[in-house]
């Protein structure tokens, strides 16, 4: 008499004890109405205990294709780290592949205690395996977008499993559209952006390294007494009318009254770019994903550009508020090593995908469930409070992942603050409709002024602000994105989805043009001061 045991793990059922783990997998997939042959199940069981999942027969190809989609063909699944992603692999990769193979095969048989209907005619197992082998041969069967999303899911699952040992269980759910915009769509930068690379070194650095007497860089803040000959040029005229013997006595003993010119404060950091995006409205989801993909591409290229012009102490931050709360991602310049001769504006294809996947942005930037501590404002809260909350979330993320001074420094326990940066830029996405959107389209300067006032306390001073205004309504051909700000050459620019191009190329050119505008604005902020 058969006894059925309800056990969540499923490893102690009579079926498993009699047939081992492969038969347990066959039963588990059958409960999901997915057929699994014995050979497929045995290979899947081998995957669970493999130190390098990518080297396992049959299913290892899934890891290799996922890695190829994000420029990590030889890395993804090649170490023991990826073993933690095998449970996710079964539902993220194996099950969709099997369902696709079943659809192509036409008829398969599921195991059960009672036969229901006639079994498929012929050797369906051979046809089923052939269809699965074809899907695992290259990325064409499932599409590059599927494999890129699978790579992010596997990476997020493995990373969260490792982190859960310290912080408790967490969950990872990527945003499919954003993943495809980042890894399947190829941004096409305008030719003008590729040719007009303004890689000037910052003026204040060269001025502060000149030799000779200490330069009098600061303004006059008062008077002080000095016995230093270097301050003689700043002595008051009333001091210099004294007879030479009295003047020498004053210099040696009492000191002369001189103008006090403290040097300019040397910033500890270089560039801070903070992007604030309100993504609570479902109608703006597609447009917001395009803006986020453009920002990620621009940040990836700026990371290399800023390092090449000597601004390694820079941070690029994305901060948003969604249904799950505040979330933020930080891309630091000084943590990366860049190959010599790499031109960031010409970076494309597998190289771009590889650098993006391996950057500090992944996998958190695409995670819809990640959040930073902080109160989620109500839907009726004023925009100023919402912006301020996103700015605070960005600063908390910088404090968690940002640079800290060496222990010998006076700032050994301090995380970077906005006032520590020499140049600060804020990119803000406005809603596509409503009073604020209408005001931004009619008088963007006043909206930026109000925004600057709202953020001045949180961000400790003024920022150069660029506003993104997404198109109204659903995304379609001809939809126009607007960028406005003092760092935009003409004050504002409209970028549209080209009607005459194929959909993929049109979106690629839009993302590339938006990325180029962000890069140009940051370089303008650097070069204009």
């Amino acid at each position: 008499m058969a006894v059925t045991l309800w056990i969540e793990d499923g490893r102690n059922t009579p079926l498993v004890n009699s047939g081992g783990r492969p038969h347990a997998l066959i039963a588990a997939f059958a409960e999901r109405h997915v057929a699994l042959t014995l050979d497929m199940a045995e290979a899947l069981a081998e995957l669970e205990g493999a130190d390098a999942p990518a080297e396992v027969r049959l299913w290892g190809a899934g890891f290799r294709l996922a890695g190829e989609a994000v420029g990590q063909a030889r890395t993804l699944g090649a170490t023991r780290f990826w073993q933690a992603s095998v449970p996710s692999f079964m539902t993220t990769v194996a099950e969709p592949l099997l369902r696709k193979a079943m659809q192509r095969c036409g008829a398969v048989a599921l195991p059960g205690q009672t036969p229901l209907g006639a079994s498929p005619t012929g050797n369906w197992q051979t046809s089923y395996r052939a269809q699965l082998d074809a899907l695992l041969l290259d990325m064409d069967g499932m599409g590059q977008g599927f494999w890129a999303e699978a790579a992010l899911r596997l990476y997020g699952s493995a990373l969260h499993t490792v982190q859960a040992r310290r912080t408790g269980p967490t969950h990872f759910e990527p945003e499919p559209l954003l993943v495809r915009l980042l890894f399947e769509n190829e941004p096409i930068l305008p030719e003008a952006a590729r040719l007009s690379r303004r890689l000037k070194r910052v003026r204040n650095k060269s001025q502060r390294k000149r030799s000779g007497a200490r330069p009098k860089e600061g303004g006059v803040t008062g008077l002080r007494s000095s016995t230093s000959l270097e301050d003689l040029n700043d002595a008051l005229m009333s001091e210099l009318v004294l007879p030479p013997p009295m003047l020498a006595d004053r210099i040696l003993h009492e000191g002369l009254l001189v103008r006090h010119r403290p040097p300019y404060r040397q910033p500890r950091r270089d560039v801070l770019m903070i992007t604030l995006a309100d993504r609570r409205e479902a109608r703006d989801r597609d447009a917001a994903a395009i803006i986020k993909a453009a920002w990620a591409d621009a940040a990836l290229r700026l990371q290399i550009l800023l390092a090449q012009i000597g601004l390694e102490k820079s941070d690029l931050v994305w901060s948003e508020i969604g249904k799950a709360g505040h979330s933020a991602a930080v891309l630091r310049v000084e943590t990366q090593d860049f190959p010599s001769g790499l031109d960031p504006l010409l970076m494309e294809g597998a190289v771009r995908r590889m650098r993006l996947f391996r950057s500090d942005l992944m996998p958190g930037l695409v995670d819809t469930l990640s959040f930073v501590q902080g109160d989620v404002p109500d839907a009726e809260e004023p925009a100023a409070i919402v912006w301020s909350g996103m700015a605070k979330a960005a600063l908390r993320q910088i404090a968690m992942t940002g640079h800290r001074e060496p222990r010998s420094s006076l700032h050994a326990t301090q995380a970077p603050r906005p006032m520590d940066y020499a140049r600060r830029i804020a990119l803000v996405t406005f809603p596509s409709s409503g009073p604020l959107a209408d005001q931004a389209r009619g008088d963007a300067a006043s909206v930026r002024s109000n925004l600057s006032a709202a953020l001045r306390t949180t961000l400790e001073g003024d920022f150069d602000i660029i506003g993104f205004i997404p198109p109204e309504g659903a995304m379609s051909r001809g939809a126009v994105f607007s960028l406005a700000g003092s760092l935009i050459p003409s004050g504002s620019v409209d970028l549209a989805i080209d009607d005459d191009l194929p959909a993929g190329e049109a979106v690629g050119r839009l993302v590339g043009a938006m990325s180029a505008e962000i890069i140009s604005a940051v370089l303008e902020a650097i070069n204009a001061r």
Side-chain angles (χ1 to χ4, degrees), residues 25 28-29 32 34 44 47-48 59 63 85-99 142 146 149-150 153-154 157 172-173:
L25 291 172
F29 273 83
R32 301 173 70 90
V34 177
L44 205 56
L47 198 68
E48 292 181 317
W59 298 109
F63 279 90
S85 68
V86 171
S88 175
F89 179 90
M90 293 190 181
T91 56
T92 298
V93 178
E95 183 175 336
L97 285 170
L98 292 169
R99 291 187 183 278
M142 300 297 288
F146 167 83
E149 184 178 345
R153 286 183 179 275
L154 294 174
S157 175
F172 174 78
E173 184 64 33

Side-chain angles (χ1 to χ4, degrees), residues 192 232 260 262 406 436 463:
L232 191 60
H260 183 38
L436 183 60
F463 271 56

